[in-house]
Amino acid sequence: MKAFAIKDDTVSKSRELAYLLYYEMPRMFFIEISEQTTEWEAPLLLSSFVKNGKYTVDAYWSRKWVQQRIVPPDRQNLGEILRQNGLKEYDEFSLLELSGGRCAQDECYIESVSEDEIYEKMQDRFGKKVKNAVPLENYDILLFFENDMVKKCSLTETLSENFP
């Protein structure tokens, strides 16, 4: 995983508005918005999440945020742009790194940070996130959480409660 702080110096030079997490193997982006970020400080695409009290942005909307900040894949002369930047193929993550996360719509940019820094600031929120799941017999599942907690859950009970 690669981690970046999303910053905007016009809002605050000392704190992060959000964190962008990039998982290389599935090529997925996720954004975790800081709970101190107001809807007026958040980048436009993320402001509605903050307004609704949602601070975790799913893969679809996180990718949309990234795509606003890079050269689109249907851009005329894309091949030349890729060659000039030493890229052999179109890769959203590489283009985002090259641009520093900057775009014309706002003053936001990304800055590389360590995973530990993010986990320290968002430990409570990450502790509730599932890191891995292992299916067991009889529709049971073993859930491994980011805070190293492990729980066994019965899907039979959950399904019978929600689908009588």
Side-chain angles (χ1 to χ4, degrees), residues 56-84:
T56 297
V57 181
D58 64 29
Y60 176 82
W61 288 109
S62 296
R63 173 164 261 120
K64 287 292 184 194
W65 186 84
V66 167
Q67 289 172 340
Q68 287 182 337
R69 315 187 96 63
I70 61 174
V71 176
D74 58 351
R75 168 85 181 258
Q76 187 178 7
N77 76 336
L78 179 63
E80 182 63 27
I81 293 169
L82 296 177
R83 266 191 304 283
Q84 286 181 357

Side-chain angles (χ1 to χ4, degrees), residues 67-132:
Q67 289 172 340
Q68 287 182 337
R69 315 187 96 63
I70 61 174
V71 176
D74 58 351
R75 168 85 181 258
Q76 187 178 7
N77 76 336
L78 179 63
E80 182 63 27
I81 293 169
L82 296 177
R83 266 191 304 283
Q84 286 181 357
N85 287 289
L87 299 175
K88 294 181 190 224
E89 63 183 15
Y90 186 85
D91 178 60
E92 291 174 336
F93 177 72
S94 298
L95 290 166
L96 182 70
E97 276 192 313
L98 284 169
S99 72
R102 295 190 182 276
C103 76
Q105 297 176 355
D106 56 38
E107 298 297 320
C108 291
Y109 62 95
I110 59 171
E111 192 173 90
S112 184
V113 294
S114 72
E115 290 179 49
D116 294 339
E117 184 178 336
I118 295 174
Y119 284 123
E120 183 180 309
K121 291 185 178 182
M122 304 210 167
Q123 189 173 14
D124 291 338
R125 194 183 316 172
F126 281 178
K128 298 172 187 167
K129 290 190 180 222
V130 174
K131 179 170 46 175
N132 201 353

